[in-house]
Amino acid sequence: MGNKPAVFTHEQLEAYQDNPFRQRIAQVFSEDGDGHMTLNNFLDMFSVMSEMAPRDLKAYYAFKIYDFNDDDYICAWDLEQTVTKLTRGELSAEEVSLVCEKVLDEADADHDGRLSLDDFQHVILRAPDFLSTFHIRI
Amino acid sequence: MAQPPAFVFNILETPEDQGQDPSPYDESEVHDSFHQLIQEQSQRAAEEGLELRVLPQREPGPETLGASGSGHQALLGPEGVPDYSTATLRILASMPSRTIGRSRGAILSQYYNRTVRLRRRGSRPPLGGVGRSARPSLRLYDLELDPTAFQEEEKRTLLVKELQGLTVAQRDHMLRGMPLSLAEKRSLREESWTQSGKQRGPQGRRGLLPCCSRLRYACGLALHSLGLALLSALQALTPWRYALKQIGGQFGSSVLSYFLFLKTLLAFNALLLLPLLAFIVGVQAAFPPAPADSVPTFTGLELLTGGGRFSHSVMYYGYYSNTTLNQLCGPPLDGSQCTPEAGGLPYNMPLAYLFTMGMSFFITCITLVYSMSRSFGESYRVGSTSGVHAITVFCSWDYKVTQKWPSRLQQDNIRTQLKELLAEWQLQQGPRSVWGRLRQVAILGFVWLLCLGTTLGCTLAVYAFSELMIKNPVSAEREWELLALPLVVCLLNLGAPYLYRGLAALERHDSPILEVYVAICRNLILKMVILGILCYHWLGRRVGALKGQCWENFVGQELYRLMVMDFVFTLLDTLFGELVWRFISEKQRKKRGKPEFDIARNVLELIYGQTLTWLGVLFSPLLPAMQIVKLLVLFYVKKMSLMANCRAPRRPWLASHMSTVFVSLLCFPSFLGAAIFLCYAIWQVRPSSICGPFRTLDTMYEAGKVWVRHLEKAGPRVSWLPWIHRYLVENTFPIYLVSALLLAVIYLNIQVVKGQRKVICLLKEQISNEGEDKIFLINKLHSVYEGKERSRVGRAQEAEMPPTLPADERDAR
């Protein structure tokens, strides 16, 4: 590859898989947050999404992926974005807000209206499936 | 980023200024960060007579926060965006919880603290791990509040120094968990390796010793890279890696769990087969017994019935000799003793048969229990309440799925799941009449009664048919009639689940997962009861009916036939069930699409097949080999059919819970039943007198007793073995002792779990309280700055305005 670092644009990544969070993944793992990944970023991504990554590390990166506005908290707006992307926009606005409210009820331990990294990790602890779903097979 | 000012920690009583709320000033400790601000403000308030006003919609009384759902409005202003002053925002921005993602310095210092704590403690962190949080509890982050705040490079050196103090395993574990990039982690690891290598060297500069430490370092690195290479080679060698990836990519984790379970069963069978091959089959094949008088020729029917030519081969119990093999005796002097000549290794076949069977079952039992406990440990957590919405939103997207169409399907599934959850919740909100509940219970009871009745009917049918087979024994020319009983059993096993599915449409469960569990339960009961009746038929009736013949061979052959029939029916069901259904649904009901892959039914079939293997291994030691072949073929057939004809199931499947359930079902009814059957056959049933390794004994277990008596006579050097046998195995006291110990361990575990639940409740309350504290303090901070700002503005305005109108100013404000 030589000295010039090769860059993966997020269009190339899009062709690889049809994941609703593909843009967020590219943004989180890229160096300057704009979605263009170098080889090292690519390796980081696969390292985190591999089988051997510990749960806390995966939870940390999953938190960053679901935090759409990058404010280190998953607020109600982030949740709405997540649910919309998960269901391809086919739930009504009322249902989406109801789901977000229930998620905040269940997960927000310190009642400040948004999820911090700890609240998120606590949710992940209760879901042993997370290790098998947040995983890309190579 | 603002530098938090250094404060002097001072306990101070300040006057009540709120009036309504319980204020923290009542408590003896006020946090030092806000202490000076509050002191200044209260002085100014005392001077100018201004009151501290907290903006009304941000009143953070504990009662408002306690109510769920309204708490999150406490921080938001009218537009929904927190509107704090810039000073407040600056302080908030430097809170440790907000800097986790942004600065590497924060990550490095956080991990430095963790490492220090780990090294000092030297043991497991306390329950709850409060130190591992990135919560804004400023007391934990002394490094951040230190006036001489470290630069990033210094933090990094500190971290490297601390990493060297850890053991290699701990260091790797810590590095693996750090959310830094790979290049960083690599450089951290190399630095901690090299520096520790240098540190182990001596102080003085000797020519030889640095060489040694460098050599040790090089050896360590080489071993490490060799280990990594072996690990990657092992991963590449795992069978079906690409096939599993394909299946996971197209159908998701739940269908994949079926194939992983198949792989696990293969491993179990291989584990069972190896000792049998080594100690029984191989030895007997090397020293074949005297050939029987009339050996029938090979016809094709043997592959189905297992009789004929196969009866006189290593496949069945009857072939094995009951003497000591390879004992080259000299001419017997008194006819009772045999002096082995040099070069011969006597091999006591009955003893070997008994011990190998016992040992293989014991190893299988230990492996099963271990894998079950590990599975349980991973998938069930203490104190985990149902946070089902949060789990659905965050953990249900399967990143393995790579293609467009299955991805769409997953999105549809999640949407359906969320809709169902919301509908369930709305249903629960509505009042449920007593009449409705009673009706539901009645329907449930009725359906269960019908299902149990069907099971009873099937059992009676099998019993009656088996009695019929005893009454009309099959002659040698019409061996194919032997296939009748397995055929009946397989037909019943095929038809009854469809009936159950039809009956289950009548009842309406609250949760779809419960439906699946209930279906699994009913099918399992059917299969186990039928197998139970067959076991009674073999050990209870056949032994008597086949007196003078080799009944063990017969039982082995029956199990062989059952396995073959089960395999044939599974293939037919896969081909016809899935292929034909796909044609039908494509032509007639285009909307339905392809049929679903029924995971529960397929897994139960696998468990049933494995139970047959375990039941039959005593009478046919090569049965595990047959099961291995069957599983291999099944993998490819199922995969082909899946890719061509099926789609992923609609219902949500929690893959890890399911694999726990599969392994526990394998252990409890399946393996336990087979072990009970084996124990009964060894301890209570009289072996046949014309064939097999136990032909002259009363029970199979007697072979062990005979050997112990032989050892007793052998001399004082091996007298401990008969002693063990007499006092630990034959005696009943050790069994009581072991049971009592087991009960005590179970009781202790239950108490520990109870204690953990209590601690979790307490910690949750603590988190909630600290959240309230945080909001309260932030609001206080904001109000203090607001007050400062206002007083500054007020003083500026007062300076501008003529001093003759102070009253109007005051009123207007």
Side-chain angles (χ1 to χ4, degrees):
Chain A
M1 216 165 276
N3 286 332
K4 195 169 67 164
V7 167
F8 266 88
T9 57
H10 63 246
E11 287 87 25
Q12 283 172 306
L13 215 59
E14 213 163 303
Y16 176 64
Q17 64 168 7
D18 190 35
N19 188 324
F21 299 109
R22 57 188 181 273
Q23 277 162 355
R24 278 301 299 163
I25 294 177
Q27 278 165 9
V28 161
F29 285 103
S30 62
E31 256 169 21
D32 33 8
D34 64 351
H36 296 279
M37 302 191 356
T38 64
L39 175 67
N40 280 333
N41 300 137
F42 198 68
L43 285 177
D44 278 339
M45 181 181 90
F46 273 108
S47 153
V48 168
M49 308 282 264
S50 76
E51 218 163 15
M52 315 245 301
R55 181 198 298 268
D56 285 342
L57 190 66
K58 287 194 191 224
Y60 175 82
Y61 279 101
F63 183 78
K64 288 180 76 171
I65 287 175
Y66 294 130
D67 182 14
F68 282 78
N69 50 9
D70 273 330
D71 63 349
D72 297 326
Y73 283 101
I74 294 183
C75 57
W77 185 78
D78 293 328
L79 276 175
E80 280 172 25
Q81 292 292 305
T82 309
V83 173
T84 313
K85 280 202 183 317
L86 272 178
T87 57
R88 214 169 61 222
E90 290 182 8
L91 281 181
S92 69
E94 197 186 297
E95 287 171 334
V96 169
S97 66
L98 203 59
V99 169
C100 295
E101 202 184 289
K102 296 203 74 55
V103 170
L104 281 174
D105 278 342
E106 285 167 3
D108 192 11
D110 51 3
H111 302 294
D112 59 353
R114 50 217 175 145
L115 305 181
S116 65
L117 178 62
D118 281 319
D119 297 330
F120 187 75
Q121 274 176 338
H122 190 60
V123 170
I124 297 296
L125 262 184
R126 287 186 252 158
D129 278 336
F130 177 70
L131 283 178
S132 66
T133 53
F134 199 73
H135 167 222
I136 293 181
R137 262 182 186 259
I138 304 180
Chain B
M1 229 190 282
Q3 287 278 346
F7 290 125
V8 175
F9 184 73
N10 218 344
I11 301 175
L12 191 75
E13 303 261 341
T14 51
E16 276 274 340
D17 50 357
Q18 296 312 307
Q20 287 117 338
D21 339 313
S23 82
Y25 305 137
D26 294 335
E27 305 185 13
S28 55
E29 232 178 278
V30 176
H31 202 285
D32 52 2
S33 317
F34 303 116
H35 167 68
Q36 188 163 343
L37 279 175
I38 295 172
Q39 203 183 10
E40 274 178 17
Q41 183 54 44
S42 44
Q43 277 176 6
R44 200 173 298 120
E47 283 169 22
E48 298 172 9
L50 284 174
E51 289 179 10
L52 272 177
R53 270 189 298 122
V54 179
L55 295 173
Q57 68 253 41
R58 303 221 192 94
E59 200 52 53
E63 53 285 355
T64 53
L65 282 178
S68 66
S70 60
H72 56 269
Q73 283 147 22
L75 281 176
L76 305 179
E79 300 86 17
V81 170
D83 47 347
Y84 298 130
S85 68
T86 42
T88 319
L89 284 176
R90 243 182 287 138
I91 291 189
L92 286 183
S94 65
M95 279 204 310
S97 70
R98 302 225 181 192
T99 57
I100 34 159
R102 299 237 181 86
S103 74
R104 272 181 58 239
I107 296 178
L108 287 174
S109 50
Q110 184 186 359
Y111 275 87
Y112 166 69
N113 282 330
R114 257 191 234 189
T115 325
V116 162
R117 225 168 284 121
L118 191 64
R119 218 165 50 79
R120 279 190 204 147
R121 194 173 294 111
S123 60
R124 269 174 37 186
L127 192 70
V130 182
R132 292 164 72 89
S133 65
R135 299 182 53 244
S137 180
L138 291 169
R139 280 163 288 179
L140 291 176
Y141 288 87
D142 340 301
L143 213 59
E144 293 293 315
L145 280 187
D146 203 319
T148 63
F150 289 127
Q151 295 305 311
E152 201 172 287
E153 276 312 305
E154 301 180 29
K155 285 183 196 168
R156 192 196 156 86
T157 0
L158 272 177
L159 182 62
V160 169
K161 249 191 251 168
E162 281 302 323
L163 280 175
Q164 286 154 22
L166 296 175
T167 63
V168 177
Q170 276 175 330
R171 189 187 308 165
D172 278 344
H173 184 73
M174 183 73 54
L175 277 173
R176 212 177 273 175
M178 280 195 201
L180 297 167
S181 65
L182 272 183
E184 294 256 6
K185 289 196 222 186
R186 224 179 276 148
S187 64
L188 276 173
R189 192 179 69 175
E190 275 171 15
E191 278 181 36
S192 49
W193 264 99
T194 48
Q195 292 208 10
S196 69
K198 276 187 211 149
Q199 271 181 4
R200 287 210 198 98
Q203 276 87 3
R205 298 277 173 110
R206 282 235 173 115
L208 212 55
L209 286 171
C211 201
C212 276
S213 70
R214 243 186 292 142
L215 193 66
R216 228 186 312 170
Y217 162 61
C219 278
L221 264 187
L223 272 174
H224 192 73
S225 49
L226 185 69
L228 282 177
L230 272 177
L231 200 67
S232 60
L234 217 68
Q235 268 200 335
L237 277 178
T238 48
W240 300 321
R241 206 169 51 98
Y242 182 65
L244 290 174
K245 177 178 173 203
Q246 234 184 333
I247 293 171
Q250 217 174 326
F251 295 94
S253 307
S254 51
V255 174
L256 191 64
S257 66
Y258 166 78
F259 289 90
L260 290 174
F261 185 63
L262 212 158
K263 227 171 82 158
T264 316
L265 279 183
L266 258 180
F268 274 119
N269 280 306
L271 192 68
L272 187 63
L273 187 66
L274 280 175
L276 293 177
L277 273 183
F279 295 110
I280 304 183
V281 179
V283 173
Q284 190 66 63
F287 299 96
D293 308 327
S294 60
V295 176
T297 50
F298 181 79
T299 63
L301 202 60
E302 272 93 358
L303 290 173
L304 281 181
T305 60
R309 179 75 185 79
F310 285 169
S311 312
H312 303 276
S313 64
V314 272
M315 228 171 118
Y316 294 108
Y317 170 99
Y319 186 76
Y320 294 87
S321 48
N322 68 330
T323 54
T324 310
L325 301 172
N326 200 21
Q327 194 166 32
L328 309 165
C329 299
L333 301 169
D334 46 352
S336 57
Q337 288 226 338
C338 215
T339 50
E341 295 186 356
L345 190 66
Y347 194 81
N348 191 344
M349 196 61 202
L351 201 62
Y353 201 92
L354 186 69
F355 274 174
T356 314
M357 286 288 167
M359 255 253 300
S360 342
F361 260 77
F362 187 67
I363 292 177
T364 311
C365 179
I366 298 280
T367 320
L368 259 179
V369 169
Y370 172 70
S371 71
M372 193 176 70
S373 68
R374 206 171 54 132
S375 212
F376 253 101
E378 278 172 11
S379 53
Y380 289 98
R381 300 274 159 182
V382 174
S384 63
T385 51
S386 63
V388 69
H389 293 86
I391 290 177
T392 310
V393 169
F394 290 130
C395 306
S396 57
W397 182 262
D398 198 349
Y399 285 78
K400 270 200 235 31
V401 175
T402 52
Q403 298 174 15
K404 209 171 187 84
W405 178 243
S407 195
R408 291 280 163 92
L409 196 68
Q410 227 193 114
Q411 282 173 319
D412 287 335
N413 283 351
I414 293 179
R415 176 181 50 105
T416 317
Q417 199 178 341
L418 284 173
K419 279 203 164 138
E420 277 177 3
L421 283 174
L422 286 178
E424 235 180 85
W425 179 73
Q426 274 167 358
L427 199 71
Q428 277 174 7
Q429 300 294 97
R432 266 259 218 83
S433 66
V434 178
W435 177 242
R437 249 182 292 166
L438 211 65
R439 205 171 73 107
Q440 204 188 18
V441 166
I443 290 182
L444 220 72
F446 180 62
V447 173
W448 264 103
L449 215 62
L450 278 180
C451 292
L452 288 176
T454 317
T455 311
L456 198 64
C458 295
T459 316
L460 285 173
V462 169
Y463 179 69
F465 201 80
S466 62
E467 288 293 309
L468 195 71
M469 295 290 288
I470 286 187
K471 281 205 194 97
N472 311 332
V474 171
S475 55
E477 294 87 34
R478 303 166 63 154
E479 281 215 9
W480 52 268
E481 277 181 16
L482 288 168
L483 291 172
L485 184 60
L487 201 70
V488 165
V489 169
C490 285
L491 279 172
L492 287 174
N493 273 331
L494 190 69
Y498 286 111
L499 187 65
Y500 290 156
R501 217 195 288 182
L503 285 174
L506 286 177
E507 58 188 18
R508 226 153 299 204
H509 281 285
D510 283 336
S511 73
I513 274 280
L514 195 63
E515 273 181 44
V516 172
Y517 280 134
V518 164
I520 290 181
C521 204
R522 287 179 185 150
N523 285 321
L524 197 68
I525 290 177
L526 173 76
K527 291 187 154 72
M528 293 300 141
V529 167
I530 288 185
L531 279 180
I533 279 288
L534 284 174
C535 289
Y536 163 73
H537 165 71
W538 293 323
L539 287 186
R541 305 276 295 125
R542 276 290 175 186
V543 174
L546 288 176
K547 261 201 162 42
Q549 296 171 43
C550 200
W551 65 265
E552 291 99 346
N553 265 14
F554 184 80
V555 174
Q557 283 162 10
E558 281 269 276
L559 278 158
Y560 176 91
R561 287 191 281 266
L562 271 173
M563 269 186 67
V564 168
M565 276 287 125
D566 182 50
F567 182 48
V568 166
F569 266 78
T570 310
L571 287 179
L572 287 176
D573 186 34
T574 309
L575 288 176
F576 288 109
E578 291 170 3
L579 186 68
V580 172
W581 192 251
R582 179 175 82 121
F583 282 140
I584 290 178
S585 54
E586 267 181 3
K587 285 191 182 145
Q588 292 186 354
R589 292 174 270 189
K590 285 215 170 117
K591 284 183 211 160
R592 288 284 285 275
K594 296 180 179 174
E596 272 180 35
F597 185 76
D598 194 345
I599 300 177
R601 201 163 59 92
N602 284 302
V603 165
L604 276 180
E605 276 178 24
L606 283 179
I607 293 181
Y608 176 71
Q610 189 60 40
T611 317
L612 289 176
T613 311
W614 280 331
L615 283 174
V617 80
L618 179 65
F619 305 111
S620 171
L622 278 183
L623 220 55
M626 269 205 51
Q627 174 77 351
I628 288 179
V629 168
K630 179 178 150 188
L631 286 174
L632 283 172
V633 174
L634 208 62
F635 184 90
Y636 290 107
V637 167
K638 283 282 176 192
K639 175 171 167 270
M640 228 171 45
S641 166
L642 180 75
M643 296 291 193
N645 302 332
C646 297
R647 61 182 173 88
R650 269 182 319 116
R651 295 287 189 197
W653 273 81
L654 303 167
S656 73
H657 277 197
M658 278 300 128
S659 53
T660 310
V661 166
F662 298 161
V663 171
S664 353
L665 284 179
L666 193 66
C667 192
F668 276 124
S670 171
F671 183 77
L672 197 66
I676 291 176
F677 178 74
L678 187 87
C679 290
Y680 185 78
I682 288 184
W683 254 294
Q684 297 288 336
V685 184
R686 195 192 167 83
S688 64
S689 49
I690 62 161
C691 66
F694 304 106
R695 44 191 105 157
T696 49
L697 303 167
D698 279 333
T699 65
M700 294 188 197
Y701 185 64
E702 254 194 53
K705 283 197 207 163
V706 161
W707 182 60
V708 167
R709 263 180 255 134
H710 191 69
L711 277 181
E712 277 175 359
K713 286 189 221 139
R717 262 188 307 159
V718 277
S719 61
W720 53 272
L721 212 54
W723 184 88
I724 288 179
H725 182 259
R726 195 176 320 141
Y727 289 109
L728 290 182
V729 178
E730 298 261 290
N731 205 355
T732 47
F733 179 69
I735 297 178
Y736 290 140
L737 194 65
V738 166
S739 319
L741 277 175
L742 204 67
L743 283 172
V745 165
I746 291 175
Y747 174 74
L748 282 175
N749 270 323
I750 291 177
Q751 293 303 316
V752 164
V753 165
K754 267 196 200 162
Q756 282 177 342
R757 280 209 189 104
K758 258 194 223 156
V759 171
I760 286 176
C761 276
L762 287 173
L763 286 175
K764 273 198 180 141
E765 269 178 44
Q766 193 180 336
I767 291 176
S768 187
N769 287 337
E770 292 217 15
E772 290 174 18
D773 286 349
K774 169 181 147 193
I775 292 176
F776 181 83
L777 288 173
I778 289 176
N779 286 332
K780 262 280 185 278
L781 184 69
H782 176 68
S783 68
V784 161
Y785 276 115
E786 280 265 291
K788 259 197 194 168
E789 193 62 35
R790 243 178 277 129
S791 65
R792 191 180 61 81
V793 166
R795 254 180 278 138
Q797 281 182 346
E798 270 181 15
E800 283 176 23
M801 295 290 288
T804 53
L805 303 168
D808 295 309
E809 287 297 318
R810 297 252 171 90
D811 288 338
R813 236 184 282 137

